[in-house]
Amino acid sequence: MVRTASDHIPRAGTVSTDGVTTIAEVARQAKVSRATVSRVMNGHATVDPELAGRVREVAARLHYSPSRVARSLSLGRTQTVGLLVPDLGNPMFQQVLRGANQAARRSGYRILVADSIEEPQREAELAIEARRQCDALILCSPRMPEPELVQVLDATRPVVLVNRELTGSDVPTLTVDYVHGIRAVAQHLLDLGHRTLLYLTGPAESASNAARLAGLRQWQADHPEVKIEDVPCGSMIEDGYRAVDVVLDSGATGVIAFNDLVAFGLLGKLDEAGVNVPGDLSVAGFDDIDFARYARPSLTTMSVPQADLGRQAWDQLQALLQFPGQTAPGPTYFRPRLVQRASTGPAGSTS
Amino acid sequence: MVRTASDHIPRAGTVSTDGVTTIAEVARQAKVSRATVSRVMNGHATVDPELAGRVREVAARLHYSPSRVARSLSLGRTQTVGLLVPDLGNPMFQQVLRGANQAARRSGYRILVADSIEEPQREAELAIEARRQCDALILCSPRMPEPELVQVLDATRPVVLVNRELTGSDVPTLTVDYVHGIRAVAQHLLDLGHRTLLYLTGPAESASNAARLAGLRQWQADHPEVKIEDVPCGSMIEDGYRAVDVVLDSGATGVIAFNDLVAFGLLGKLDEAGVNVPGDLSVAGFDDIDFARYARPSLTTMSVPQADLGRQAWDQLQALLQFPGQTAPGPTYFRPRLVQRASTGPAGSTS
DNA sequence: TTGTATGCGTTATCAT
DNA sequence: ATGATAACGCATACAA
């Protein structure tokens, strides 16, 4: 929007037309130049106390506060970082958001959220688009194929990658050691005497699901005496809910759900079906969301420091913003911790 | 940041120093004016197909995309709305965010999140500060005192208020009929034969807690035969967890928790304590978060359409953005619905 | 110390 | 239909 130059006021005297006061207006009323106002507002240089006082007084009276947009344009930074997640409805990503937001806030940054759930296939596009509005990006659990990911990372840096790995990239990466994690769960179930396990897989595009599968294969190789089956399921409560028949038909005595959400759904339906957990069937989840311990029976799961992922993501980003050239120290692994609760128990304790 | 004018390139020929291509660069390479490039990019006017093609070709080759910041400054709008919530960790607000984000996204808007949990006393400040970065604001469950709220609403409009009422304001307001809701729960418990009820209150500053209390008083007046006590508790899982002693000592047979989180915590601790729910004690929540039906026993609660609140908040905001003068049609009430599940049952069925 | 001038990248007005 | 140019609001190098 351009104002007509019908009023022959010189640029320096531009007066706000709408409700918002501008630096020019403050300058005019304080009888100083805009530069001086700017200096005062930013605590810059040593400006005459007399003038500074006048400026501050006028600024306060007019409720003046510099335009973030204009400031962003001039400074070349927005003090905003984008966060792209696959599903804002998932507690895992909510926690990452929460952690990142808190950390960013402390440094005076804000977070712009982007949720790709409506159009997962446009994930890459969304990332790049979001990035154009901020100074950096946190890419959480991107589902896009690797070649695309490489391009996106390159197009959006500074960027940090959360919950997905990319070999040969210098992008700071925070990831969970799902391979170890899933092995720990399997071992836990074996220790309880379970010889027939079932893994309810997550979304096919999910890298963390692939990692879990890989871990399971590894572990299987070391334990040929155990039968492990995996069936497609999903990542949401409903997916677990619907999986109950497959689970019961499988003959498995121990079930590992892709995540706690799935485990929750499964537990719910099992209860309705009158199946005793862990008497008839042991169920383990993954993530340790807040509600896991309040499930009935309380959910055995691998604890992932979700908010920490967010916090650290911000830390890495901030480092990158300060020292742009800095190369990444390789992926940072968060090792999940087995939290043994009541949903898993000795094999064949009832039945 | 100002570039030294050491290169005597006239403004129209400004060349990008950093990685990002500007409109000027595209204009130069396409041998047209910046105005034309702008027109092409925005599908404006009818520009010669020949030129348009050239421009598009160059733009594509250079991966040009208009700067959102510059665009915002010129247009006077950011295509971004702020959302302030008291606690991003609360499923209720997460759903509001999710709903609002989805709706906003469909209209090409993004959401900037702000969480006041770290400094609740600076809520007003945060709201105003967030608003300076966007075109509008969604104020969700503000805890600030009324006089302050009035000022904030005035300073941040266009703004819509969610989950709090303010009489005499023309700000679009979306609120839940907690008064009705809490009465419905109480009645439900009475219908089950409970004569001694306990309400675990939420945060003192919470308007929705006040509404619940008011509803409870009303209902009490109509039912003098029932004994209702209320004790301070909180809004988080841990608060409910810690309330178990008070609950057991109260002698109440029916408990109404401020929200589902509190109910969850209480259920968890009750289970540990070996208390049978609903045999010994009935417990009801509020909100109907996703997990409520997966609690054990599944949680009886008042269902609040959380994501809808977010979606409608956006709708109202959009209307306001289009027709700024438009006055609000008074508060929109969402009437919560009783969802009867397994955590409430007949009084004295065990014990 | 303060003011002047210019640049940030875009859109829109106005003349051509 | 196209181009030159002002304007959005702010920050800063440079001159005074």
Side-chain angles (χ1 to χ4, degrees):
Chain A
M1 174 183 310
V2 170
R3 284 151 198 183
T4 73
S6 59
D7 50 347
H8 296 272
I9 302 175
R11 162 124 217 205
T14 301
V15 170
S16 144
T17 324
D18 29 294
V20 195
T21 38
T22 76
I23 196 176
E25 180 62 13
V26 176
R28 197 179 63 75
Q29 297 203 26
K31 305 195 189 314
V32 298
S33 74
R34 294 177 303 161
T36 298
V37 177
S38 174
R39 285 190 277 254
V40 172
M41 296 307 291
N42 295 306
H44 267 310
T46 152
V47 47
D48 188 280
E50 154 91 21
L51 287 194
R54 233 161 59 206
V55 168
R56 262 188 278 273
E57 191 249 331
V58 174
R61 179 158 50 76
L62 267 40
H63 296 101
Y64 170 71
S65 153
S67 153
R68 305 273 315 202
V69 183
R71 209 153 189 287
S72 295
L73 183 59
S74 187
L75 254 24
R77 57 187 156 79
T78 62
Q79 299 277 104
T80 300
V81 307
L83 171 65
L84 178 62
V85 298
D87 176 15
L88 261 182
N90 187 316
M92 161 84 168
F93 305 130
Q94 289 163 354
Q95 293 302 316
V96 173
L97 165 59
R98 195 172 67 89
N101 184 56
Q102 257 180 41
R105 191 60 210 133
R106 294 200 186 95
S107 311
Y109 276 74
R110 279 252 151 70
I111 285 193
L112 201 70
V113 302
D115 183 353
S116 65
I117 192 162
E118 298 242 355
E119 26 198 6
Q121 74 292 350
R122 286 190 54 214
E123 201 182 28
E125 238 177 294
L126 281 174
I128 294 178
E129 187 193 326
R131 172 61 177 83
R132 303 204 83 275
Q133 223 169 137
C134 18
D135 302 338
L137 189 67
I138 298 176
L139 202 51
C140 189
S141 301
R143 311 301 211 204
M144 67 188 88
E146 194 153 306
E148 212 174 345
L149 180 58
V150 173
Q151 297 187 324
V152 168
L153 290 182
D154 208 66
T156 57
R157 53 184 64 202
V159 57
V160 350
L161 190 55
V162 175
N163 210 29
R164 172 154 178 185
E165 297 176 60
L166 182 61
T167 53
S169 165
D170 65 336
V171 169
T173 299
L174 304 176
T175 179
V176 176
D177 191 346
Y178 291 110
V179 171
H180 162 79
I182 201 89
R183 295 182 55 152
V185 188
Q187 187 63 48
H188 165 65
L189 288 172
L190 174 57
D191 291 346
L192 287 170
H194 297 275
R195 290 286 188 281
T196 314
L197 305 183
L198 181 68
Y199 171 56
L200 299 177
T201 73
E205 319 76 27
S206 159
S208 74
N209 178 60
R212 287 169 172 85
L213 276 171
L216 221 42
R217 304 259 183 277
Q218 281 183 18
W219 188 83
Q220 164 83 89
D222 296 340
H223 302 273
E225 77 276 22
V226 180
K227 178 165 174 259
I228 308 184
E229 197 180 343
D230 45 61
V231 303
C233 183
S235 63
M236 309 206 291
I237 291 188
E238 294 71 32
D239 297 317
Y241 199 79
R242 278 192 296 265
V244 71
D245 288 333
V246 186
V247 167
L248 294 178
D249 291 349
S250 73
T253 64
V255 179
I256 303 174
F258 169 67
N259 64 16
D260 289 349
L261 254 42
V262 170
F264 252 93
L266 179 60
L267 285 180
K269 190 67 178 178
L270 284 173
D271 183 68
E272 292 176 17
V275 177
N276 183 331
V277 176
D280 300 329
L281 189 67
S282 282
V283 175
F286 215 114
D287 286 350
D288 193 22
I289 61 176
D290 285 345
F291 288 101
R293 64 176 293 196
Y294 300 100
R296 225 45 349 121
S298 62
L299 188 62
T300 292
T301 186
M302 294 302 297
S303 178
V304 174
Q306 312 164 68
D308 276 347
L309 282 175
R311 266 188 283 276
Q312 296 235 18
W314 166 251
D315 290 344
Q316 299 276 356
L317 220 44
Q318 196 175 32
L320 227 48
L321 284 162
Q322 286 180 16
F323 315 103
Q326 184 184 274
T327 176
T332 302
Y333 280 93
F334 287 72
R335 172 162 285 214
R337 198 182 81 254
L338 176 69
V339 179
Q340 191 169 344
R341 289 196 272 248
S343 66
T344 52
S349 50
T350 306
S351 133
Chain B
M1 175 182 309
V2 171
R3 285 149 199 187
T4 72
S6 58
D7 51 348
H8 295 274
I9 302 174
R11 162 125 217 210
T14 301
V15 170
S16 143
T17 325
D18 30 291
V20 195
T21 39
T22 76
I23 197 176
E25 179 63 13
V26 176
R28 198 179 62 76
Q29 296 204 26
K31 303 193 190 313
V32 297
S33 72
R34 293 176 303 158
T36 298
V37 176
S38 176
R39 284 190 275 256
V40 173
M41 296 306 292
N42 295 305
H44 265 310
T46 153
V47 46
D48 188 281
E50 153 91 20
L51 286 193
R54 232 162 59 206
V55 168
R56 260 189 281 273
E57 190 249 333
V58 174
R61 179 159 49 77
L62 267 41
H63 296 103
Y64 169 71
S65 156
S67 152
R68 306 270 317 201
V69 183
R71 208 153 189 285
S72 294
L73 182 59
S74 187
L75 255 23
R77 59 187 154 80
T78 62
Q79 299 275 106
T80 300
V81 308
L83 171 64
L84 179 62
V85 298
D87 176 16
L88 262 182
N90 187 316
M92 161 85 170
F93 305 130
Q94 290 163 354
Q95 293 303 316
V96 173
L97 164 60
R98 195 172 67 89
N101 185 56
Q102 258 179 40
R105 191 60 210 133
R106 294 200 185 94
S107 311
Y109 276 73
R110 279 252 151 68
I111 285 194
L112 201 70
V113 301
D115 183 352
S116 64
I117 192 161
E118 297 242 354
E119 25 198 7
Q121 74 292 351
R122 289 189 52 214
E123 201 182 26
E125 233 176 301
L126 280 175
I128 295 179
E129 186 193 326
R131 171 64 177 81
R132 303 205 81 274
Q133 221 166 142
C134 11
D135 303 338
L137 189 67
I138 298 175
L139 202 51
C140 189
S141 301
R143 314 292 214 210
M144 67 188 88
E146 194 152 307
E148 212 174 344
L149 180 58
V150 173
Q151 297 187 323
V152 168
L153 290 182
D154 208 66
T156 57
R157 53 184 65 201
V159 57
V160 349
L161 190 55
V162 174
N163 211 28
R164 172 154 178 185
E165 296 177 61
L166 182 61
T167 53
S169 165
D170 65 336
V171 169
T173 298
L174 304 177
T175 178
V176 176
D177 190 345
Y178 291 110
V179 171
H180 163 80
I182 201 88
R183 296 182 53 150
V185 189
Q187 186 64 48
H188 165 65
L189 289 171
L190 174 57
D191 291 346
L192 287 170
H194 298 275
R195 289 286 189 283
T196 313
L197 305 182
L198 182 68
Y199 171 56
L200 299 177
T201 73
E205 319 77 28
S206 159
S208 73
N209 179 60
R212 287 169 172 85
L213 276 170
L216 221 42
R217 305 261 182 276
Q218 282 184 17
W219 188 83
Q220 165 83 89
D222 297 340
H223 302 272
E225 76 275 23
V226 180
K227 177 164 177 261
I228 308 183
E229 197 179 343
D230 46 60
V231 303
C233 184
S235 63
M236 310 205 292
I237 292 187
E238 294 70 32
D239 297 317
Y241 200 79
R242 279 191 295 266
V244 72
D245 289 333
V246 187
V247 168
L248 293 177
D249 292 348
S250 73
T253 64
V255 179
I256 303 175
F258 170 67
N259 63 16
D260 289 349
L261 255 40
V262 171
F264 253 94
L266 179 60
L267 285 181
K269 190 68 178 178
L270 285 173
D271 183 68
E272 292 176 16
V275 177
N276 182 332
V277 175
D280 299 330
L281 189 67
S282 282
V283 175
F286 215 115
D287 285 351
D288 194 23
I289 61 176
D290 285 347
F291 288 101
R293 63 177 291 197
Y294 299 100
R296 213 70 322 136
S298 62
L299 188 63
T300 291
T301 186
M302 293 303 296
S303 179
V304 174
Q306 312 164 68
D308 276 347
L309 282 174
R311 267 188 283 276
Q312 297 234 20
W314 165 251
D315 290 345
Q316 299 276 357
L317 220 43
Q318 196 175 32
L320 227 48
L321 285 164
Q322 286 180 15
F323 314 103
Q326 183 185 275
T327 175
T332 302
Y333 279 92
F334 287 73
R335 172 162 285 213
R337 199 182 80 252
L338 176 69
V339 178
Q340 191 171 342
R341 288 197 273 248
S343 66
T344 52
S349 50
T350 306
S351 134

